[in-house]
Amino acid sequence: MPDDSTGYRGPTRREYVKYGSAVVGGALLAGCAGRSSPGDGANGSNDSGDGNTTAGGSESSYSVTMAPMGEVSFEEVPETWVANNGSWADMGIALGQEPPKGLWRPNRYHTHIYDEIPGVSVDKTTIDELWGQSLSKELFYELDADVHVFDPVFVLSRSKWKQADLDEVDENIGPVFGNSIYSQAFQWHDHQYYSLYEAFEKLAQVFGQEQRYREFERLHDEFIGRIRERLPSESDRPSVAILLVTSDQPEEFYPYPINQGTSYKQWRDLGARSALTEAGIEDFYRSGSTIDYEAVAEADPDVLLMWDGRGRFERMSREEFQSTLVSFMQDHDVASQLTAVNNDDVYRGAGIYQGPIINLAWTERGAWQLYPDEFDRDEQLFDRQRVADIINGDS
């Protein structure tokens, strides 16, 4: 916590890790007392996946290595946490953790996906919004989380925070550990990216939940394998365009060509072609520019996948989506000429943030959307009960 009136600031987290309990003279470091040691071989890892236990501090201390932070030390397994977005929040739920105490924007965390998973639910109204008009350091002190799962370079590039602010949070509250993985079009991101399951494995090492990770990895690989066996030949797979809009009656679009970021994992796994890439349309994250209907018509994708910035489309039923945005496009002079609109192939395109649970649901829905002749909407492509069993430690 900040310095008190006596001038004694107390030991920092880094001092505790380096020198052990002797430095505190029996005092407790805020947020670090009463935790259990990592379970199931939770020694952390380097980027090749090997164990990497760090000496010093208490006997239960360990470290996990991840770009851009490098080796991050933990005295004991974190119990409370905050995260930047729903990708990491969903990973935590998959690992059997309590929801994060805070997220940049809780309204973009798609917790409705859990409605179909037996015994799993998250009330996101209990999750604090970390990034309102600005990023509040005071709120970080108030939440007093054991670990902060966000990319520090993102914070430095998008906020008024300086390195000293990050150091203060890291040393006085809890370590920073994260990476922006949802897109690979960022110009500020010059450190290593991770796939969804690479990042998921790193977080599993932080929470000492490697067994749950391995169970999810097995479920995922079996699920994707079954789907790919049923995909049509590459020449029969559709081109898609992912567009973000801010209203139900859009005249401009934020373009998101499919790249290697985790936001697009289901479309890559389903073999979709990126119509925007083929048309030479640059990613909004890189260009900062919107496109109009004429540009969409030039790309003329087989399928339109629509995002919105607040997750409202995700909360709509298919019928509501059809009666709002799709109906508007069908009546629009230019939009009505698009192949996707003519063929009634305009769909909710899921969202930007997905972890392992949400990815299963969105991949299933994407299969129904892109390949209705191969995948019937009444067919469940993954076992909801098995997912619940892994989360609850019953698998």
Side-chain angles (χ1 to χ4, degrees):
M1 297 296 288
D3 296 351
D4 61 24
S5 58
T6 66
Y8 173 66
R9 62 174 174 81
T12 67
R13 185 187 68 83
R14 290 192 182 280
E15 288 170 340
Y16 190 94
V17 171
K18 183 175 181 181
Y19 301 113
S21 59
V23 75
V24 301
L28 295 178
L29 183 62
C32 296
R35 304 181 205 154
S36 59
S37 60
D40 189 29
N43 294 326
S45 81
N46 57 29
D47 285 334
S48 65
D50 298 327
N52 187 26
T53 306
T54 300
S58 66
E59 290 182 0
S60 60
S61 66
Y62 62 104
S63 66
V64 183
T65 300
M66 187 180 202
M69 294 75 49
E71 185 177 297
V72 178
S73 298
F74 297 87
E75 296 107 64
E76 292 184 291
V77 176
E79 293 183 352
T80 61
W81 63 305
V82 301
N84 60 342
N85 61 49
S87 302
W88 293 98
D90 188 52
M91 293 181 209
I93 298 303
L95 295 170
Q97 304 304 298
E98 291 296 318
K101 298 172 75 173
L103 291 171
W104 286 172
R105 308 285 189 191
N107 66 338
R108 298 178 186 176
Y109 177 23
H110 304 289
T111 55
H112 66 282
I113 295 297
Y114 305 141
D115 293 346
E116 293 192 8
I117 309 300
V120 177
S121 65
V122 171
D123 180 4
K124 64 183 176 185
T125 64
T126 65
I127 300 174
D128 279 307
E129 182 176 12
L130 297 177
W131 205 314
Q133 295 298 317
S134 61
L135 199 59
S136 168
K137 196 188 309 179
E138 288 72 20
L139 181 55
F140 280 86
Y141 275 106
E142 180 181 330
L143 295 177
D144 194 26
D146 298 335
V147 64
H148 304 88
V149 184
F150 61 78
D151 191 322
V153 184
F154 177 92
V155 170
L156 293 175
S157 68
R158 300 297 184 89
S159 76
K160 296 181 180 179
W161 279 31
K162 306 299 182 185
Q163 185 61 49
D165 299 303
L166 288 169
D167 291 343
E168 180 182 340
V169 168
D170 185 276
E171 294 176 0
N172 292 349
I173 309 175
V176 174
F177 181 93
N179 188 304
S180 288
I181 57 175
Y182 57 91
S183 175
Q184 294 195 11
F186 299 122
Q187 298 190 62
W188 54 265
H189 195 302
D190 60 359
H191 48 283
Q192 179 183 350
Y193 283 103
Y194 295 87
S195 71
L196 178 59
Y197 271 75
E198 287 171 342
F200 185 28
E201 184 177 22
K202 294 291 186 182
L203 194 64
Q205 292 161 2
V206 170
F207 285 121
Q209 294 294 335
E210 287 93 331
Q211 181 61 34
R212 278 189 172 92
Y213 164 77
R214 287 191 290 269
E215 293 290 342
F216 258 104
E217 183 183 38
R218 186 176 301 113
L219 183 156
H220 164 269
D221 290 350
E222 293 170 2
F223 166 67
I224 296 299
R226 290 193 302 270
I227 285 179
R228 285 179 172 166
E229 288 176 352
R230 298 169 59 181
L231 295 183
S233 62
E234 290 189 18
S235 61
D236 293 327
R237 297 175 188 177
S239 65
V240 306
I242 300 173
L243 303 173
L244 186 145
V245 297
T246 57
S247 77
D248 296 341
Q249 300 183 356
E251 292 292 341
E252 63 179 7
F253 308 90
Y254 299 86
Y256 291 89
I258 295 172
N259 63 46
Q260 292 300 308
T262 61
S263 297
Y264 314 98
K265 174 174 162 39
Q266 72 270 42
W267 309 120
R268 296 193 306 271
D269 288 339
L270 291 169
R273 294 170 21 235
S274 176
L276 298 178
T277 301
E278 293 173 358
I281 296 174
E282 198 169 24
D283 195 298
F284 171 73
Y285 287 135
R286 190 169 295 276
S287 69
S289 301
T290 58
I291 60 175
D292 56 17
Y293 279 108
E294 284 70 21
V296 178
E298 186 174 340
D300 198 23
D302 298 318
V303 175
L304 278 171
L305 300 167
M306 311 303 290
W307 285 352
D308 76 292
R310 299 183 181 276
R312 199 166 67 86
F313 289 167
E314 272 299 299
R315 295 189 294 273
M316 287 183 177
S317 66
R318 290 177 62 204
E319 293 72 23
E320 289 174 312
F321 182 74
Q322 289 284 332
S323 66
T324 51
L325 184 137
V326 176
S327 178
F328 170 77
M329 295 181 77
Q330 289 171 336
D331 293 335
H332 191 278
D333 289 345
V334 180
S336 60
Q337 300 176 38
L338 297 173
T339 297
V341 176
N342 275 322
N343 293 340
D344 200 22
D345 281 325
V346 182
Y347 303 109
R348 293 172 296 164
I352 295 175
Y353 307 123
Q354 57 179 318
I357 307 170
I358 295 172
N359 173 253
L360 292 171
W362 282 348
T363 304
E364 178 185 70
R365 190 175 75 185
W368 296 337
Q369 293 168 338
L370 299 191
Y371 305 109
D373 294 336
E374 286 78 18
F375 301 97
D376 188 276
R377 282 187 176 270
D378 293 329
E379 178 186 10
Q380 288 194 351
L381 301 180
F382 70 94
D383 186 340
R384 274 71 169 163
Q385 186 60 56
R386 184 176 171 188
V387 171
D389 289 344
I390 297 172
I391 295 170
N392 293 322
D394 297 328
S395 61

